[in-house]
Amino acid sequence: MQKPLRVAVTGAAGQIGYQLIYRIAAGEMLGRDQPLHLSLLEIPPAMEALNGVVMELEDCAFPLIQGIDPTDSPDTAFAEVDIAVLVGSRPRSPGMERRDLLEANGEIFTIQGKALNEHAARSVKVLVVGNPANTNCLIALRNAPDLDPTQFCAMTRLDHNRALAQLALKVECHVSDISGLAVWGNHSPTMFPELGSATVSGEPALSLVDMEWYDKEFIPAVQQRGAAILQARGFSSAASAANAAIEQVRDWHLGSQLVTSMGLYSTGSYGIREGIVFSYPVICKRDSVQIVEGRTLDQFSRDKIAITEQELLDERSAIEHLI
């Protein structure tokens, strides 16, 4: 049997955490033969609920689970962890401005970044799910100076999956027929789901749809999908977010030859300003991520990318004192 990997999940008793943890424990994220030790972090008022989650995990009798540690201490939660999935974040409350949300979450991810820096395994991989994910990821990685920024990423796999689904519905194909699609920028309503390099069964995606649908229907549908789900069910996306987190970490850890989308610390690829966490088209090798270079971006695409880049620059300015 392989050596157990330590996996930390924050916000473990929340909606996404509850959907996520059992699938991790079943081996869907790191492999059906990979033993696990779970470290589950919550805030003190949610510890009773977290204890109920732990009881359910015990009742599942997952053969891969070698131990479960529920805690309200980031230092304890991140001790020697190999994978950290940062789900817990402050939700936006009525009347709260985006700047206020950034500030509130900044405090959370500052603490967690420092705890990861001090206590996590030196090869730790960190996925930030809690919104605003890109800038929360930036805060965490900048507060972990002893870790490499490439060890952190923000989750835009959910946006990528949403884009795949919307295109597949439009052209009446299976999602597996689509290749090369990517989501650029921020996990926010400014994100840009790009079809210029996408193909459907080898045919250019843009040859199968018209520009009016691409600009006026497809892009807004992907950008606003989370809001549409919230309005329909009264709760934000949970199962689909958990699924995307599992897929993003699985590809990162085990490798995949498919082009997908991940929020990475920018070092200037495609002319994006350095020092923000920006979603790019990527291919995952085992334990590493490579940005897909050489894409031709038309003026329409460059204009869309500039909008989401500027939003991320504005967000960085708002939390500059935290990084």
Side-chain angles (χ1 to χ4, degrees):
M1 182 175 286
Q2 299 183 60
K3 176 184 175 182
L5 291 178
R6 299 186 70 91
V7 178
V9 178
T10 74
Q15 284 200 77
I16 297 173
Y18 188 76
Q19 298 281 344
L20 178 64
I21 291 166
Y22 300 96
R23 293 182 62 184
I24 295 174
E28 292 186 35
M29 188 169 80
L30 300 178
R32 302 278 183 181
D33 59 349
Q34 176 58 64
L36 304 169
H37 191 113
L38 294 179
S39 186
L40 308 179
L41 179 66
E42 261 299 353
I43 57 176
M47 286 303 295
E48 184 175 356
L50 181 58
N51 288 333
V53 172
V54 172
M55 286 190 280
E56 284 203 79
L57 278 167
E58 292 170 345
D59 292 348
C60 289
F62 289 113
L64 294 177
I65 298 302
Q66 304 296 303
I68 306 169
D69 294 325
T71 182
D72 60 7
S73 166
D75 291 341
T76 301
F78 297 139
E80 298 302 319
V81 295
D82 301 288
I83 306 286
V85 185
L86 309 187
V87 178
S89 63
R90 168 80 179 271
R92 191 168 185 168
S93 55
M96 179 181 279
E97 298 293 333
R98 188 169 180 85
R99 186 184 185 91
D100 298 329
L101 181 66
L102 288 165
E103 185 74 25
N105 279 298
E107 296 177 13
I108 296 170
F109 286 86
T110 295
I111 292 169
Q112 293 183 1
K114 290 177 178 177
L116 285 161
N117 191 65
E118 292 297 319
H119 302 291
R122 295 302 83 182
S123 59
V124 66
K125 300 184 188 74
V126 183
L127 170 64
V128 177
V129 176
N131 287 319
N134 294 58
T135 298
N136 286 342
C137 183
L138 177 64
I139 294 167
L141 72 86
R142 292 288 286 272
N143 281 279
D146 298 330
L147 300 175
D148 195 292
T150 61
Q151 293 175 246
F152 291 76
C153 71
M155 190 177 81
T156 53
R157 181 62 169 262
L158 178 55
D159 311 306
H160 183 95
N161 288 346
R162 287 167 170 169
L164 286 174
Q166 291 299 310
L167 179 59
L169 288 169
K170 175 64 176 178
V171 302
E172 299 181 344
C173 73
H174 193 270
V175 291
S176 62
D177 297 328
I178 302 170
S179 301
L181 181 150
V183 172
W184 298 78
N186 201 3
H187 174 64
S188 80
T190 68
M191 75 181 80
F192 173 50
E194 179 233 336
L195 297 183
S197 298
T199 61
V200 179
S201 299
E203 295 293 320
L206 289 181
S207 71
L208 304 175
V209 300
D210 59 74
M211 196 66 187
E212 180 76 10
W213 177 83
Y214 180 31
D215 186 22
K216 303 301 183 185
E217 295 187 44
F218 172 74
I219 293 174
V222 178
Q223 292 174 334
Q224 300 293 337
R225 186 68 168 184
I229 291 170
L230 177 61
Q231 182 176 2
R233 67 184 294 262
F235 298 97
S236 59
S237 306
S240 57
N243 179 72
I246 285 170
E247 291 182 339
Q248 188 157 327
V249 174
R250 183 175 63 217
D251 284 358
W252 191 6
H253 183 68
L254 298 175
S256 170
Q257 294 304 307
L258 299 177
V259 174
T260 185
S261 305
M262 291 175 65
L264 305 177
Y265 187 70
S266 174
T267 58
S269 291
Y270 287 94
I272 301 303
R273 194 82 61 88
E274 297 181 14
I276 57 176
V277 173
F278 194 89
S279 184
Y280 287 100
V282 303
I283 292 178
C284 297
K285 306 294 184 181
R286 189 176 180 92
D287 292 325
S288 68
V289 179
Q290 296 178 358
I291 294 174
V292 178
E293 300 287 359
R295 287 198 169 199
T296 299
L297 298 170
D298 59 15
Q299 191 62 50
F300 174 83
S301 299
R302 290 196 298 270
D303 290 345
K304 295 290 188 184
I305 288 171
I307 293 169
T308 195
E309 178 186 16
Q310 186 59 53
E311 182 182 52
L312 283 165
L313 291 169
D314 292 342
E315 288 185 8
R316 185 180 68 180
S317 294
I319 50 84
E320 195 75 42
H321 59 291
L322 298 173
I323 59 174

